[in-house]
Amino acid sequence: MPTPPPFHDRFTRTLPADPSRENRPRTVKAACYSHVMPARAKAPKLVAHSREVAELLGLSESDVASPWFLDMVSGNALPEGAQPYAMCYGGHQFGHWAGQLGDGRAINLGELVGSDGDHWTLQLKGAGPTPYSRTADGYAVLRSSVREFLCSEAMHHLGVPTTRALSLVTTGDSVVRDMFYNGNARPEPGAIVCRVARSFVRFGSFQIFASQQSDEASAALRTLAETTIRWHHPELGDPTTDASTYPRWFAHVCGLTAELMVEWMRVGYVHGVMNTDNMSILGETIDYGPYGWIDNYDPDWTPNTTDSAERRYRFGHQPQIAQWNLAQLGGALIPLTGDLEPFQAALNEYQGVFAERWHAMMLSKLGLATARDDDDELVTEWLAVLALTETDMTLAYRSLASIPSADDDALADTLHAAYYAPDGLTTATRERTTAWLRRYRARLDAEGSDDIERAARMATVNPLYVPRNYLAQLAIDKAEQGDNSGVIELLDAYRRPYDERPELSHLAGKRPDWARTRPGCSMLSCSS
Ligand code: AMP
Ligand code: MG
């Protein structure tokens, strides 16, 4: 295409707008968005793009190579039909209501209709200040943009619901950041990720209106809820003629969120900042900041140094936090019907839905094709065994898939490759682990498990290549020197995260010792 495809504007046409076009930090009332122009990037360069997302949007590889593409994804030229805007939302941050937040550094261009017929919103993250920038600058640095770009595409290929990433560009401008808020500010390369999603609406998009307590805000809440249902879940009913559609939709959001939590637990992902403004109404992973991937299995681990004292968003706590966040969303939706009870009932279902899906997910990770009464205990003991000594979560499941037969002496060494300190195992750890492995082997034999068939099945739910923090950091180190090969290599590896490829063995190993304490590898902050 010689020019970008024309953009659609159903979001800005349908939802209430902020009447002001003044681009300075300010409070916006009863509006879903404000019109705002992206800032000019000095010398944009394409670092990488996702060919799958391009294809979804009907863009060919030659489109991606054309000058208009770079102009579009760096915010330097507006495609026809684009009406750029930043969204207004609020949120609970670390358990406290924070008031108005909004897209402080994300500017939506509008929508392209994908090859699937859906409307996909393109959003430039790091494209300059908006009325929601508060005291910050509206920009993003390369390190956090590499992380967002890679992880969103990796998540998609892992089968986890997520926003997508079309492209990653450097802007040619530098952005000053104090990475650990400790007085060490330095200029870093600026970057923009073009994020793509069916919707960027968050729990906080509804909460903001409930908090504003005005007739205009109530009307905006209703319009946003109606529109979200009509565009994304029309099968649930028409809320304009049947108000029970609202709690039914909320129940659906609870279910989607429960499923998302199960998926995060399956792959070992820790979001790091599960504030209600970072929860997608579609149940997708959104806003990749100081996230991390579990290396050694530890349910108490969080990568986010900003949360190191309370560890509110630690790995094992995410399902409960999601429920807490849903309670805040449910509370904000009650004015739609004036009746708390059905929203409460929907929320009460969350725990049961999560537990059921989680259990099924754990059985699939263990390769069990049938369910038995004592499986709960088998799973609980497995997770206890995983935590006895530093054991790589990803590699442990891959190792289990090739557990030797019951009479093989090597059975006790099944997890050997997953240990961070294989020589330091205590006798107690060894014995408890071996006891579990024997029990597991007996359980497999009892269901007549075929080793080859089971290993193949397990390899479809237990990934081998996950965006380990240290790998992303190595790619970032190179990218900051102008060498994009690390980003490209990881993007390619994460396209097929379940298929072992010998040439990628260097991307499948345990976290090396040097990465244990290196910033960016085990410690991250909200500074991005
Ligand atoms: P986060 O915790 O990264 O999701 O961000 C919380 C809020 O801060 C959101 O409203 C963001 O848009 C805003 N924000 C984060 N970083 C910046 C930045 N560099 N400039 C402007 N706003 C930002
Ligand atoms: Mg956010």
Side-chain angles (χ1 to χ4, degrees):
M1 270 174 245
T3 55
F7 272 65
H8 294 251
D9 60 353
R10 103 180 158 170
F11 189 92
T12 48
R13 252 187 312 115
T14 313
L15 292 156
D18 165 17
S20 167
R21 297 204 174 219
E22 211 182 332
N23 191 2
R24 58 167 178 85
R26 57 197 169 79
T27 302
V28 173
K29 297 276 192 196
C32 285
Y33 67 92
S34 305
H35 292 283
V36 61
M37 292 296 283
R40 193 166 177 85
K42 189 162 77 188
K45 277 199 188 121
L46 187 64
V47 174
H49 77 282
S50 159
R51 59 172 188 250
E52 292 84 2
V53 178
E55 205 175 294
L56 171 67
L57 299 176
L59 303 174
S60 67
E61 288 298 301
S62 69
D63 289 334
V64 171
S66 23
W68 63 255
F69 182 86
L70 185 60
D71 277 346
M72 174 177 85
V73 296
S74 60
N76 276 358
L78 287 185
E80 189 197 323
Q83 307 243 12
Y85 63 96
M87 287 159 73
C88 181
Y89 50 81
H92 278 86
Q93 296 185 313
F94 298 96
H96 304 282
W97 176 244
Q100 177 181 306
L101 298 166
D103 289 334
R105 55 160 162 186
I107 297 180
N108 302 275
L109 292 177
E111 307 125 32
L112 288 178
V113 173
S115 48
D116 57 359
D118 270 342
H119 280 238
W120 292 87
T121 299
L122 276 71
Q123 180 185 82
L124 306 182
K125 183 167 176 179
T130 78
Y132 308 100
S133 298
R134 296 177 295 155
T135 57
D137 58 11
Y139 296 103
V141 294
L142 182 58
R143 68 182 148 82
S144 60
S145 305
V146 166
R147 288 168 49 81
E148 172 135 28
F149 176 78
L150 285 176
C151 199
S152 28
E153 287 308 285
M155 282 294 222
H156 168 76
H157 295 293
L158 283 162
V160 182
T162 180
T163 61
R164 304 292 301 275
L166 170 63
S167 58
L168 167 65
V169 298
T170 47
T171 58
D173 297 294
S174 62
V175 174
V176 174
R177 286 289 179 274
D178 183 354
M179 189 169 165
F180 285 106
Y181 305 117
N182 58 5
N184 291 313
R186 66 167 178 114
E188 299 188 41
I192 297 174
V193 174
C194 179
R195 308 201 292 185
V196 177
R198 289 185 175 88
S199 171
F200 287 100
V201 169
R202 300 126 193 280
F203 290 9
S205 309
F206 300 90
Q207 287 183 279
I208 188 73
F209 297 134
S211 79
Q212 287 172 351
Q213 303 200 332
S214 68
D215 290 348
E216 294 76 20
S218 300
L221 173 69
R222 189 168 298 277
T223 306
L224 180 61
E226 262 172 39
T227 307
T228 304
I229 296 169
R230 187 169 70 247
W231 286 347
H232 304 292
H233 308 293
E235 72 285 0
L236 296 176
D238 178 357
T240 59
T241 54
D242 174 8
S244 72
T245 310
Y246 289 118
R248 202 157 46 244
W249 162 61
F250 175 63
H252 190 65
V253 175
C254 290
L256 292 173
T257 306
E259 282 171 27
L260 182 66
M261 292 306 109
V262 170
E263 287 295 87
W264 288 1
M265 303 314 279
R266 173 173 70 85
V267 297
Y269 172 77
V270 193
H271 183 286
V273 206
M274 285 178 72
N275 294 334
T276 57
D277 54 302
N278 291 338
M279 299 288 293
S280 145
I281 199 66
L282 298 187
E284 297 181 340
T285 316
I286 189 171
D287 279 11
Y288 292 87
Y291 67 80
W293 287 76
I294 293 286
D295 290 310
N296 56 293
Y297 177 78
D298 175 3
D300 290 334
W301 184 70
T302 175
N304 185 0
T305 53
T306 315
D307 188 28
S308 59
E310 196 189 341
R311 290 178 187 261
R312 179 180 173 85
Y313 299 140
R314 62 192 182 273
F315 179 59
H317 203 218
Q318 299 184 111
Q320 273 134 283
I321 288 293
Q323 187 180 17
W324 190 91
N325 289 343
L326 285 162
Q328 309 314 311
L329 172 65
L333 299 180
I334 292 168
L336 292 170
T337 62
D339 184 5
L340 175 145
E341 198 280 326
F343 288 99
Q344 185 64 54
L347 184 65
N348 292 346
E349 297 285 310
Y350 172 88
Q351 207 139 12
V353 173
F354 172 77
E356 190 190 311
R357 301 283 168 91
W358 182 82
H359 187 72
M361 176 275 286
M362 286 303 297
L363 293 195
S364 75
K365 277 183 85 69
L366 293 176
L368 297 172
T370 55
R372 269 185 13 186
D373 285 348
D374 54 354
D375 285 340
D376 260 341
E377 211 209 311
L378 185 80
V379 168
T380 306
E381 177 62 5
W382 161 244
L383 295 177
V385 161
L386 265 186
L388 285 175
T389 181
E390 285 194 348
T391 311
D392 193 84
M393 174 176 159
T394 299
L395 296 181
Y397 284 101
R398 297 292 291 205
S399 304
L400 267 194
S402 46
I403 187 170
S405 61
D407 55 5
D408 191 324
D409 289 344
L411 180 95
D413 298 326
T414 303
L415 299 179
H416 194 83
Y419 291 138
Y420 278 86
D423 301 332
L425 299 191
T426 64
T427 309
T429 293
R430 205 182 284 279
E431 283 174 356
R432 192 168 166 190
T433 303
T434 307
W436 186 86
L437 289 167
R438 288 199 184 294
R439 183 177 162 189
Y440 171 61
R441 182 70 249 188
R443 169 74 176 80
L444 293 175
D445 293 341
E447 73 173 26
S449 188
D450 174 87
D451 281 355
I452 293 173
E453 181 275 329
R454 176 178 42 79
R457 193 158 27 87
M458 289 173 79
T460 65
V461 289
N462 297 317
L464 180 58
Y465 307 104
V466 294
R468 291 177 187 268
N469 312 310
Y470 87 90
L471 291 171
Q473 187 57 46
L474 292 175
I476 290 166
D477 291 343
K478 277 192 182 174
E480 287 186 342
Q481 302 305 315
D483 172 358
N484 301 330
S485 61
V487 175
I488 306 285
E489 182 187 37
L490 289 180
L491 179 66
D492 184 54
Y494 300 145
R495 282 199 170 101
R496 283 160 52 207
Y498 298 97
D499 304 345
E500 184 164 359
R501 282 172 281 169
E503 72 280 13
L504 297 183
S505 62
H506 59 293
L507 303 180
K510 287 174 277 199
R511 170 200 60 216
D513 223 38
W514 60 260
R516 210 173 262 274
T517 50
R518 213 196 123 181
C521 299
S522 58
M523 292 183 294
L524 293 135
S525 79
C526 287
S527 166
S528 57

